[in-house]
Amino acid sequence: MTIIVQKYGGTSVANPDKILAAAGRAIRASQEGHQVVMVVSAMGKNTDMLVELARQINQRPSARELDMLLSTGEQVSAALMAMAIDSLGHRAVSLTGSQIGIQTDSTHTKARIISISTKRIEQLLSEGQIVIAAGFQGIDENYDITTLGRGGSDTTAVALAAVLGAVRCEIYTDVDGIYTTDPNILSSAQRMPQVSYDEMLELASLGAGVMHSRSIEFAKKYAVPIQVRSSLVDGPGTLIRKIPADLSKAVCGAVLAEDEALVTLAGVPDIPGSSSEIFSQIASQKITVDMIIQNVGKKGQTGLSFTVPRDELEMTLGVIEQVRGTLQIKKVSHSTDVSKVSVVGSGMAYQPGVAKKMFRSISDADINVLMITTSQIKISVLVRRSDAPRALEAVHQTFELDTPVENGSSNPVEPPPPRAEEERADVVDRLRGMEDLVIDDISLDTDQSRITLERVPDQPGIAALVFERVASAGIVVDMIVQSHLDQDGLANISFTIPRADLVACQDLCQQIAEQLPCQGISNSPQAAKLSVSGIGLRSHTGVARRMFQALGSGGINVELTNTSEARVNVIVAAEQGDLALSVVKAAFADITAR
């Protein structure tokens, strides 16, 4: 028999009627011949209520006691769900994370799963029981209850689907799938029948709230098909799987991340090891860094800008203050008046002109771009917070994301053949350390040149002008990095191109510079792009730190940096490319793709 894992979020189990409806759905799946495992979240706003209750007792409760308290919400839901199934004439049993055998580390409130025992669940399923698992929780080596942090029930569900070899993991929520953008912001948003793991990783990390990126990392690592469906109405939902549904469409979704904070460091010594020192200290506090942009150095100094979640800004500034004196950073500034607008799509790796199209749409809306960073399947711009909704609407319309998507096939793949017991044991063993970081590629591209338009004026349309002109000349752009405005309101726009196009692009940029005007053009004729890609780069905050530390130890200076959910890119001098590749590979030698 095939196994299906069904996860029900807080809104889907918010009251007795909804619990009974979910119970009925699980029973139907069982009657269709599946073995069913349900993962439940706490009812409605129960977790928020428990947090508030804790704060009334103690403004700074210990993380261990907070885990003890918060884990009770899921246990209530699990017990009530088992009672509901029993009342409908079927057999069910509820289990806590520790009863299942979900072993985690000891990082309270945001623990990572180390391993999951399948013995008890498999025994109960073989007896014809529907198993209800309390999501969001596990147990550490000291038998203390731990919780998995934001999106923890999703993580529990996908992890169980992975170790049990489930045919799919169904995520039931209050929306009927993944949309091209947040329908609460834009009513023209359309449901996507399918989306790839990589696309969903980027969308989730950028703020698409339906699923958390950590659960998608699991799904990608262990090839678990996920179907996001509504618990309120029947429908196909959205299937998240390995292969993109349609590469002919450059962009599949657009996301607005409003809770951003920008930190800018000016006058950072342009020497090997500076970035390493900064991001080592930030990573030590488990702070999640998103956009990282490093300017091209000049007169021995460079600028570094990055974004962090707004609620982690105060902690970040504290860390920076500790390293400021050591590195002799001249100025530290920050802003919470920023939001990030991004477009995502696997198709943009195969279609030219996506960047110029995005920048033109924002320019036509008379919106100024503060920063730019790109990856193979994502373009992100930082804009003023008040401009963000209009910027989102502009790009959503430009890429025709408001057009209904052809439904296509939303049915999950055919179930795999049953595994022999010996093979199942091998799979479970392989999944030990299942939340470990996986690095699947470290590569070096030495066929790059870097061009920088220096101190470009602060006005809408500059990026659109530059990249429309470059695209019209048939020049393919790879990395794009626009720095944050300096104290004079000017910014650098840097980008990389094939080395063969350098002369033509240099002449073109000279014309653009005279038209703007900007204060100069610089280039690195022989630049090397070093890339580290894998699964877990965002949730493991030390990836950039480890990379920069290795480069700094090797005496290698970084010219440019940009990041995405699945990749960190740096530009170094071509003559140092081979050495850079060697030291970074050595730094990640203990992490191998599973």
Side-chain angles (χ1 to χ4, degrees), residues 194 199 241 243-252 345-347 351 405:
Q194 301 185 33
E199 290 168 333
R241 62 176 192 168
I243 302 171
D246 184 9
L247 289 175
S248 67
K249 194 167 186 176
V251 171
C252 72
S346 297
Q351 294 189 38
V405 183

Side-chain angles (χ1 to χ4, degrees), residues 259-279:
D259 296 327
E260 296 282 301
L262 171 67
V263 178
T264 299
L265 311 181
V268 179
D270 187 25
I271 58 175
S274 293
S275 298
S276 169
E277 180 65 22
I278 292 165
F279 290 110

Side-chain angles (χ1 to χ4, degrees), residues 25 28 229-230 232-236:
R25 186 174 286 108
R28 287 197 299 274
R229 307 177 73 173
S230 170
L232 306 176
V233 295
D234 288 333

Side-chain angles (χ1 to χ4, degrees), residues 155-202:
T155 302
T156 301
V158 178
L160 285 173
V163 297
L164 292 169
V167 63
R168 65 181 178 273
C169 179
E170 298 175 348
I171 305 291
Y172 287 93
T173 182
D174 55 354
V175 296
D176 63 343
I178 309 297
Y179 277 70
T180 53
T181 196
D182 186 345
N184 294 315
I185 299 176
L186 287 183
S187 59
S188 59
Q190 301 293 320
R191 182 183 62 82
M192 294 184 283
Q194 301 185 33
V195 64
S196 71
Y197 293 132
D198 286 338
E199 290 168 333
M200 193 63 228
L201 268 171
E202 295 286 8

Side-chain angles (χ1 to χ4, degrees), residues 14 45 63 72 76 91 118 184 198 228 248 253 263 286 301 307 317 382 425 442 485 504 516 564-565 588:
K45 300 294 183 180
T72 63
V76 169
R91 301 168 64 204
T118 61
N184 294 315
D198 286 338
V228 180
S248 67
V263 178
K286 299 288 194 290
Q301 295 184 340
T307 59
L317 294 176
L382 208 66
I442 300 175
L485 303 174
L516 290 177
S564 74
E565 174 63 27
F588 290 100

